[in-house]
Amino acid sequence: MKVAILLLAALAAQSLAEPQIYLKEEFADGDAWESRWIESKHRSDYGKFRLHAGSFYGDSEKDKGIQTSQDAKFYARSIKFEQFNNEGQTLVIQFTVKHEQNIDCGGGYIKLFPSNLDQEDMSGKSPYYIMFGPDICGPETKKVHVIFSYKGENHLIKKDIRCKDDEYTHLYTLIVHSDNKYEVKIDNKKVESGTLEDDWDLLPPKTIKDPNAKKPEDWDDWEKINEPNHAQPEDEWQSHQINNPSFKGNWVHPEIDNPEYTPEINMYRYDNIGVLGLDLWQVKSGTIFDNFLITNDVKYAEEYGNQTWGITEAGERKMKEKQEKEKEQKEERTEKEEEVEKVDKHEDGGMDTHKYEL
C-alpha cells in the first residue's frame, strides 16, 4: 500500500513537472496553415502571407514560415488555441523572425489576445494582453517592444531593448514569472530582466511630493555670489565670484507615501489567453515568422529554440555567405568582360581609321 501511494505521488509530481504546450506552430504541414491562421476582414487590402523559407536557409523544408509578400501593406492574421490562464505559473512566448529583405520600416512583433477576440475583425484597435517583438523604422527605431495591458491601458517598457537588424533569423523570447519578474532573450541569451513594477508604470508611484511642503522663503540655494567689494573698472568687466556663506544646498522636495498606491501581486496574470496574432505594417516585405511557442516551461522553450533556430542558424549563414561570394565573383567577371569588350571596340575602331587614312 505504501509503495502504491509513493508511486502515485511520484506520477503526480511528474505530471506537474510536464511542460504545458499551449501553442506550437512550425508550418510543417504545407498549406494547411491557412485554415488555422484566420485573416482579418477589418480592411479589404491586407497584405498576403505566403509559406516560404526565403532565398537562403539552413533547411529548405524545416525553415518554411509565413512570409510577408507585398510592400507597403498592413498584415493581420491570427491563430486560436485552447484558452488558459497563467495564474501561479510562468508564461513563455517565443518565435523566430527573419528580416530577409533588410527591412527599412516595419513590425516583426506578435500580439497575445484574449480568447474572445473576433479574429475576422482583428485590427490595431483590438484590445490585447501583450505585444512583444522587434520593430524597425529607420536608423533611430530598432527596438524590442514589450507592452503589457493592465486595467484597460497599454503600458510600454521604460527600458530600451535593441533588436537585431540584419537579414538572418533570430529567436525572440519573453518570460513572465508569477512573482512579477520578467526576462527578455534574443537568440537564447538574456538581454534584459527586472520586475513589472519597476520597468512599467502599471501602478501609481509608491511616494509623491508632499503637497503641503514648500521651499522656505529664506532658503538660499545660490552656491556662488558676486564679491561685494569688487570694484567695476571702466573697460569690459566680469564680477569676481566667491563661495556663498549662506548657501544651504539645493532644496529637495520632501516626499510622502502615495495614498493611491496599493501593492499588486497579480500584475502578471491574464485569465483567458487564447489567440496569437500578427497585426503589423511593413514598407518593404519579406519578413518570415516561424517556430511560434507558448508554454509555461522556460527550459523547454530554450531547448526548443536550440532545436529550431539553433540548428538552422549556421547553415543559413553559410548559404548566405556562399551566395554573396558567388555574386561578387559574377560581378567581377562581368566587369572584366565589359573591359575586354571596350578594348576590342577601341582596337576595331582604330583599325578602321587607319584604313581610311591610307
Side-chain angles (χ1 to χ4, degrees), residues 151 255 274 283:
K151 294 185 177 180
E255 294 194 338
V283 173

Side-chain angles (χ1 to χ4, degrees), residues 85-90 177-178 266 268-269:
N85 74 71
N86 62 321
E87 183 174 5
Q89 60 179 317
T90 298
H177 296 286
S178 58
N266 292 321
Y268 74 95
R269 188 182 69 189

